[in-house]
Amino acid sequence: MPFYPHVTFLTSAAEVHQFTPDTGREIAFAGRSNAGKSSAINAITERTALARVSRTPGRTQLINFFELGNERRLVDLPGYGFAKVPERVRARWLELMEHYFNVRESLVGLVLIVDSRRGLGTQDSAMLEWTLASGRHAHILLAKSDKLNRRDAQRVLSETRAACSDTAVTSQLFSAHARTGLDLARDVMRRWLEEKPLRPD
Ligand SMILES: Nc1nc2c(ncn2[C@@H]2O[C@H](COP(=O)(O)OP(=O)(O)O)[C@@H](O)[C@H]2O)c(=O)[nH]1
Ligand SMILES: [Mg+2]
């Protein structure tokens, strides 16, 4: 039984006016290109090709919206950090992200996908700061943890938690291929999507 049995693709947006209506709640997935974001989305939703697993990273500069049901959405943000992306594409990415974070009232939290072999990078930290500064939740998936032995996996988890110890950011090990950490990630998402607003609207 899939965790989100009714998940469907809604739309791809390159501009603010193409965003889906800003109602209900949504969780955004972000990360460096090739960090394992599409694989994580597919594993968490039990779909094989909901988010395309790309072999040419850094090409998609679109925000993809998926409906989970009951006005709850999962949002696939364009990846960053790909070295060969021209400067104007980078600037465009920044502009789109700024717009998204600034206007999107239904955005409750960010799931940040970090390759567990690389650990947190500068841009990852910037994404976290952005999220926290706007009063939203953040959770890190240390992805592809099947590539690490147990000791190294625990080390990167400890380091990540230490780096975030002054904040409310949580983190966990995750592997789409080995299918580990799926339930923990889903629990975090469920809490964010279901929790009561601070001020009832
Ligand atoms: N070993 C391993 N490889 C993974 C895992 N998740 C993704 N990958 C590989 O990493 C590459 C990038 O994955 P993708 O999901 O497209 O990353 P994205 O660019 O962040 O969306 C692909 O070759 C995937 O097969 C994982 O859990 N374990
Ligand atoms: Mg992808």
Side-chain angles (χ1 to χ4, degrees), residues 175-188:
S175 167
H177 286 194
R179 305 186 58 75
T180 51
L182 297 182
D183 285 340
L184 190 54
R186 289 169 182 152
D187 280 349
V188 170

Side-chain angles (χ1 to χ4, degrees), residues 123-171:
Q123 280 165 298
D124 297 321
S125 300
M127 291 298 293
L128 289 175
E129 275 172 32
W130 225 343
T131 306
L132 296 175
S134 55
R136 291 156 172 141
H137 298 289
H139 182 68
I140 300 170
L141 300 185
L142 292 164
K144 310 189 195 180
S145 64
D146 58 285
K147 294 268 197 184
L148 298 178
N149 65 36
R150 212 182 149 85
R151 178 196 288 250
D152 287 345
Q154 285 306 320
R155 183 183 44 77
V156 74
L157 181 60
S158 306
E159 285 171 2
T160 306
R161 287 184 172 162
C164 300
S165 61
D166 292 342
T167 71
V169 178
T170 50
S171 46

Side-chain angles (χ1 to χ4, degrees), residues 11-20 61-65 78 96:
T11 191
S12 291
E15 310 277 349
V16 173
H17 69 86
Q18 296 167 333
F19 292 176
T20 55
Q61 289 286 319
L62 299 171
I63 298 181
N64 297 304
F65 293 88
L96 185 61

Side-chain angles (χ1 to χ4, degrees), residues 61-74:
Q61 289 286 319
L62 299 171
I63 298 181
N64 297 304
F65 293 88
F66 299 92
E67 173 75 43
L68 300 171
N70 193 26
E71 291 206 314
R72 299 296 187 259
R73 287 175 304 277
L74 189 160

Side-chain angles (χ1 to χ4, degrees), residues 54-156:
S54 172
R55 291 194 184 278
T56 50
R59 298 290 162 80
T60 36
Q61 289 286 319
L62 299 171
I63 298 181
N64 297 304
F65 293 88
F66 299 92
E67 173 75 43
L68 300 171
N70 193 26
E71 291 206 314
R72 299 296 187 259
R73 287 175 304 277
L74 189 160
V75 181
D76 187 6
L77 298 178
Y80 47 83
F82 189 54
K84 288 174 192 148
V85 166
E87 188 48 42
R88 71 180 162 74
V89 176
R90 254 185 254 265
R92 182 76 199 87
W93 177 89
L94 192 64
E95 190 189 1
L96 185 61
M97 288 301 97
E98 269 173 351
H99 277 149
Y100 176 71
F101 277 83
N102 286 341
V103 306
R104 209 61 184 165
E105 289 186 7
S106 54
L107 176 64
V108 292
L110 181 83
V111 173
L112 185 70
I113 317 301
V114 175
D115 189 325
S116 57
R117 296 166 300 178
R118 299 183 70 117
L120 274 181
T122 320
Q123 280 165 298
D124 297 321
S125 300
M127 291 298 293
L128 289 175
E129 275 172 32
W130 225 343
T131 306
L132 296 175
S134 55
R136 291 156 172 141
H137 298 289
H139 182 68
I140 300 170
L141 300 185
L142 292 164
K144 310 189 195 180
S145 64
D146 58 285
K147 294 268 197 184
L148 298 178
N149 65 36
R150 212 182 149 85
R151 178 196 288 250
D152 287 345
Q154 285 306 320
R155 183 183 44 77
V156 74

Side-chain angles (χ1 to χ4, degrees), residues 32-40 52-55 57 143-147 174-178:
R32 276 182 76 95
S33 298
N34 217 35
K37 181 161 56 74
S38 298
S39 304
R52 205 163 45 87
V53 178
S54 172
R55 291 194 184 278
K144 310 189 195 180
S145 64
D146 58 285
K147 294 268 197 184
F174 185 90
S175 167
H177 286 194

